[in-house]
Amino acid sequence: MAWSLLTLFTTITIATASNWTAPIDHCAAIAGQKWVSPAQARSCLSMAALEPKIKSNTIEVLNKTLAFHTSVNYQIQAPAPFEDDVHEDLHADLERISLQKYSSEFDFHLDIFRTFKRPNDGHCAALNYCYDSFFVTYLPIPLVLLTAEDGSQAVHIAPEAYQVAKAEFGDNLEFWENALPGNLKGQLRSLSGARVLLINGQSPVVAVNANALTAGGYQSFATRQNSFFSSYHRGRDGWEYVMGNFAQHVHPLTDEVHLAVQRVNSSDEIDIFSLPYRSRFGSASKNFTDFVSYRANNCVAAKRTNGFDVYDAVAAMEAEVAGSPAAHFQQQPPIDPVDAKKHALNVILDGTPPSNIALPEELQPSATPLNNSYSVAQFYLLNDNSTGVLALGSFSAQSFATFQASLLAGLNDLKKQGAKRLLVDVVRYICIAHWLHRILIGRSETTEPQAGLDSTMRAGPLAQLVVKQIVNGSDPDELLSYNPQQWTNASHVPFPKGHDLLHPLVKKTINGHDDFFSPRLGQECQPFSEDPPTKGLFKPKDVLIVSNGRCASSCSLFSITMSKLDGVKTVVVGGFKDSTQHYCGTVGGQSTDFSTIDTEIKFMFVQSTHLKNHTLAPPDFITNSVQGITWRLGFGLTDPATPEEWQDHTADISFPLTVETVNKPIAIWETVVKNVFAAEEAKFFVQDNSGL
């Protein structure tokens, strides 16, 4: 703890040899408070000076772990259609950061955080529990993009804004009510539904596009635009409300917003006002009483920050209890750690943890879900008695086996109740994506033996050494992810014992950099643990996949194969009509994190191969950090020789949201069905996806 004390004392100002000014402990000033101003939170987070050893350690771990990130050279300059969206050289930027001076450790982390956002890849992230969502910063007025009858579009404060704020922020609502000026004071409710004319003196579109340039997560510019606005999804325990990037921030950097709005039924009157952001103590943040305890409880490496020896029973049990260090930032509900190890995951990371804000009850589906609904998967039959809905909030749930069984049982139940067509609302287990594709379409050349994407691993020198040691017998219980017994070859045949899955090396030159990858890897999910039906449950023409574009990882694997192989139509709801909407982004193939990679390396050190001491091996993090990477990259379907990551995913239909449908699942489903399935007068935009 000496380094934390040293950091504190660097804030002392010496007035004279015999007179000094005591340092202000900005953390002690807000200790125990649930709500603070962003400036107060910022002052606490900014107290620590950047120590050279933290700077060098962080950069070394990030740089060396990137050797396992399959996309790093592609992302220097992505090919079309994402050449304008992805052009980030992470190694070059880390070199820049190593030479730059920073006023605080917080400023250093912000540069790291933003740098890893620039590849627009939700699997690639550099996060720190000391800073990211330590205080989550909110406004009580989330925004939506609404389309009028004449086709014009405008940004509005969400019609349900006050309901959401009252339910979620009731203990801070009075502050915001009193912060409104003049005749608006105490009238926060009246802002719901208001048209937003200016944000900080500029058109709202300027703010939307500025957010899209920094939000990260998805290659598509349109999807990053959409992240500015509120939305909904099905969570493990209920329907959840996503505030959007305007009303929810990872860091306490913005103190207030200046708005010009026209309230509902206010004729030509325009209200101009400022509203302060407020910062709420994060759900994963550890309590503190002062600066030193803030640092000790939140900023140093925790028990599961780094890897462990999988053959040490005590260490393995401790790791299982502690859970993945990335779990808080993974955009999925909590899952069984045994399932997480047994079944490959493909899940994005974000500095903002998954929402636990409830979707207002009056916006939730009024229909009772079918009995076989489970967790994030809920089944409904619409009032037409012909359309079934699978509301799928994630491809991950707490129990893999129960999740898998519930999908088949729920879809069969829909069929028994008369459903002739299916709408899948996907607003992360890889094999769940494969399973859903297989049971919907049935046995066909598009689902057997491969219902997903073939893939490849990056085969750097250290990865080669890990696999070599495994092949030589260092992993007898087949616990490690690099063990060839976990994988199949390009013909979907399991590798024989003793086979090196990384050889022969496949050399590629990407953006002027020589890189090496494994030979093509086949499917890893079949045979499934439960027998799928021979015949598909629905014909492809009778299935729609509906999302807001924020469909990534396993959701992408499912949507891409259904769309490109089986011709299932894709619909994106919301978004600007002059922006090309993509039905998914951030495909990957399998994501992982530093602690998992470190476990693969660390075990080899225990077996006396000393790989943890290898010059290419990343050291342990000394900070409470998480690094996410894409470990396997899926091959494309249109062009099977190149990654699917960089191929086109233009949605078939862009469906605008109106005041009648926004953030109302049932209203969206019924309107989409009425206009797409029933072929009535279309109220949507058919997009050109001829590039598919």
Side-chain angles (χ1 to χ4, degrees):
M1 198 43 55
W3 62 274
S4 292
L5 291 170
L6 174 62
T7 304
L8 172 62
F9 293 144
T10 59
T11 63
I12 298 176
T13 302
I14 304 299
T16 67
S18 59
N19 181 32
W20 60 278
T21 302
I24 299 174
D25 189 334
H26 296 289
C27 295
I30 60 173
Q33 297 184 39
K34 182 178 179 180
W35 289 96
V36 299
S37 72
Q40 289 174 305
R42 200 162 59 242
S43 294
C44 173
L45 302 189
S46 300
M47 284 190 67
L50 177 59
E51 295 186 27
K53 67 179 180 182
I54 288 180
K55 183 179 184 181
S56 61
N57 171 263
T58 302
I59 292 173
E60 184 179 6
V61 175
L62 296 175
N63 256 323
K64 290 182 174 179
T65 306
L66 283 174
F68 300 88
H69 177 51
T70 51
S71 300
V72 67
N73 285 325
Y74 287 102
Q75 289 168 337
I76 294 173
Q77 179 56 69
F82 300 113
E83 67 273 25
D84 294 330
D85 298 288
V86 180
H87 40 78
E88 168 60 28
D89 188 333
L90 287 170
H91 286 300
D93 250 341
L94 286 171
E95 175 63 20
R96 170 189 62 78
I97 290 169
S98 72
L99 300 174
Q100 189 165 321
K101 295 185 182 300
Y102 295 90
S103 61
S104 68
E105 186 182 307
F106 183 36
D107 284 340
F108 165 72
H109 173 68
L110 287 174
D111 200 351
I112 293 282
F113 179 88
R114 291 164 177 160
T115 294
F116 275 72
K117 281 287 188 181
R118 282 194 285 273
N120 294 323
D121 176 352
H123 296 144
C124 182
L127 305 169
N128 192 327
Y129 282 94
C130 187
Y131 301 114
D132 300 326
S133 292
F134 188 79
F135 281 95
V136 183
T137 300
Y138 294 102
L139 275 179
I141 47 171
L143 303 184
V144 293
L145 178 67
L146 299 181
T147 301
E149 280 289 330
D150 62 4
S152 61
Q153 294 185 298
V155 174
H156 290 252
I157 296 173
E160 68 278 356
Y162 186 79
Q163 298 163 265
V164 172
K166 184 178 180 181
E168 182 65 21
F169 310 132
D171 53 351
N172 194 70
L173 206 60
E174 185 178 358
F175 174 89
W176 278 310
E177 293 275 21
N178 292 331
L180 289 168
N183 64 338
L184 287 177
K185 188 171 183 177
Q187 300 298 313
L188 185 63
R189 183 194 296 270
S190 72
L191 297 177
S192 294
R195 179 173 179 174
V196 179
L197 305 175
L198 296 173
I199 299 177
N200 294 327
Q202 295 181 299
S203 164
V205 178
V206 174
V208 173
N209 290 343
N211 167 77
L213 293 176
T214 61
Y218 300 86
Q219 294 96 341
S220 165
F221 186 78
T223 305
R224 286 178 277 122
Q225 284 181 315
N226 297 349
S227 70
F228 190 75
F229 302 109
S230 66
S231 60
Y232 69 87
H233 72 261
R234 173 68 202 188
R236 180 184 66 175
D237 300 318
W239 289 91
E240 296 173 346
Y241 191 85
V242 180
M243 295 291 287
N245 291 347
F246 171 76
Q248 180 172 342
H249 296 173
V250 176
H251 304 115
L253 302 178
T254 306
D255 295 317
E256 62 181 3
V257 64
H258 305 282
L259 296 173
V261 307
Q262 185 174 15
R263 284 183 284 170
V264 176
N265 300 323
S266 65
S267 63
D268 295 328
E269 183 180 353
I270 295 174
D271 295 294
I272 300 174
F273 60 94
S274 297
L275 192 64
Y277 281 87
R278 293 285 282 171
S279 298
R280 185 168 70 176
F281 195 60
S283 60
S285 305
K286 301 293 191 291
N287 288 325
F288 60 92
T289 57
D290 54 17
F291 172 78
V292 172
S293 59
Y294 154 62
R295 298 288 297 181
N297 297 346
N298 297 278
C299 303
V300 297
K303 185 166 290 186
R304 277 293 282 116
T305 299
N306 301 298
F308 65 98
D309 173 12
V310 293
Y311 281 88
D312 181 326
V314 174
M317 180 61 70
E318 289 177 344
E320 184 175 327
V321 171
S324 168
H328 180 65
F329 298 114
Q330 289 177 327
Q331 301 302 292
Q332 66 179 13
I335 61 175
D336 187 324
V338 175
D339 278 345
K341 181 63 180 176
K342 183 178 179 181
H343 302 286
L345 286 166
N346 200 31
V347 56
I348 60 174
L349 296 176
D350 193 81
T352 301
S355 173
N356 60 358
I357 298 174
L359 180 70
E361 189 172 349
E362 50 268 45
L363 302 186
Q364 296 181 22
S366 56
T368 302
L370 303 189
N371 289 336
N372 286 298
S373 297
Y374 169 70
S375 184
V376 296
Q378 301 288 302
F379 296 92
Y380 300 91
L381 186 68
L382 297 186
N383 287 334
D384 63 7
N385 293 318
S386 296
T387 306
V389 174
L390 165 55
L392 191 58
S394 174
F395 281 79
S396 298
Q398 186 169 11
S399 167
F400 181 94
T402 306
F403 192 16
Q404 178 177 262
S406 71
L407 287 171
L408 179 56
L411 290 168
N412 273 322
D413 200 0
L414 281 175
K415 293 284 288 183
K416 290 176 183 176
Q417 295 201 29
K420 296 179 176 60
R421 53 201 183 194
L422 180 70
L423 186 152
V424 185
D425 187 333
V426 286
V427 248
R428 266 163 175 79
Y429 288 125
I430 293 170
C431 289
I432 289 294
H434 291 210
W435 169 253
L436 185 56
H437 181 195
R438 169 63 181 82
I439 62 178
L440 284 175
I441 301 303
R443 179 177 292 166
S444 76
E445 62 180 7
T446 69
T447 62
E448 290 189 2
Q450 171 66 289
L453 302 178
D454 291 354
S455 63
T456 185
M457 299 174 182
R458 202 171 182 206
L462 190 58
Q464 293 181 51
L465 287 174
V466 170
V467 174
K468 181 179 179 180
Q469 296 306 313
I470 293 173
V471 169
N472 289 338
S474 293
D475 181 27
D477 294 343
E478 301 175 7
L479 300 178
L480 297 177
S481 299
Y482 271 112
N483 195 308
Q485 299 301 295
Q486 314 273 19
W487 308 105
T488 65
N489 62 22
S491 299
H492 312 295
V493 176
F495 286 117
K497 198 170 186 65
H499 179 83
D500 187 334
L501 83 167
L502 297 183
H503 285 82
L505 297 176
V506 178
K507 181 180 179 181
K508 296 183 179 181
T509 301
I510 306 167
N511 287 314
H513 295 261
D514 288 341
D515 214 337
F516 295 90
F517 296 85
S518 73
R520 195 180 194 95
L521 301 174
Q523 71 87 24
E524 69 270 24
C525 298
Q526 300 188 43
F528 297 107
S529 58
E530 183 170 340
D531 292 334
T534 300
K535 186 179 179 181
L537 298 176
F538 292 89
K539 295 178 181 179
K541 68 179 182 64
D542 294 327
V543 178
L544 281 179
I545 298 175
V546 178
S547 76
N548 56 12
R550 280 169 274 182
C551 166
S553 307
S554 294
C555 181
S556 291
L557 299 179
F558 168 73
S559 300
I560 289 166
T561 52
M562 291 284 285
S563 172
K564 292 189 175 186
L565 294 179
D566 297 295
V568 169
K569 278 189 169 58
T570 56
V571 180
V572 171
V573 296
F576 290 101
K577 61 184 180 182
D578 58 354
S579 294
T580 300
Q581 302 297 324
H582 289 231
Y583 61 85
C584 73
T586 305
V587 182
Q590 183 179 348
S591 61
T592 192
D593 66 293
F594 162 75
S595 69
T596 303
I597 292 296
D598 191 43
T599 294
E600 306 277 317
I601 299 167
K602 206 164 258 182
F603 170 69
M604 294 305 161
F605 169 68
V606 172
Q607 293 297 309
S608 302
T609 60
H610 304 288
L611 288 190
K612 184 63 179 177
N613 291 337
H614 194 284
T615 183
L616 296 177
D620 284 356
F621 270 123
I622 62 175
T623 54
N624 198 1
S625 297
V626 173
Q627 180 179 2
I629 62 170
T630 298
W631 186 56
R632 284 191 296 135
L633 199 56
F635 282 107
L637 296 176
T638 305
D639 180 0
T642 63
E644 183 65 47
E645 195 76 63
W646 318 114
Q647 299 187 27
D648 191 24
H649 307 119
T650 299
D652 295 301
I653 295 170
S654 173
F655 203 95
L657 290 171
T658 66
V659 69
E660 292 81 17
T661 60
V662 66
N663 291 332
K664 300 174 183 176
I666 285 284
I668 289 173
W669 303 336
E670 290 180 341
T671 306
V672 168
V673 167
K674 181 179 178 181
N675 285 272
V676 180
F677 274 141
E680 294 189 5
E681 182 181 353
K683 293 185 178 180
F684 55 79
F685 310 108
V686 178
Q687 300 194 130
D688 178 12
N689 58 3
S690 56
L692 294 179

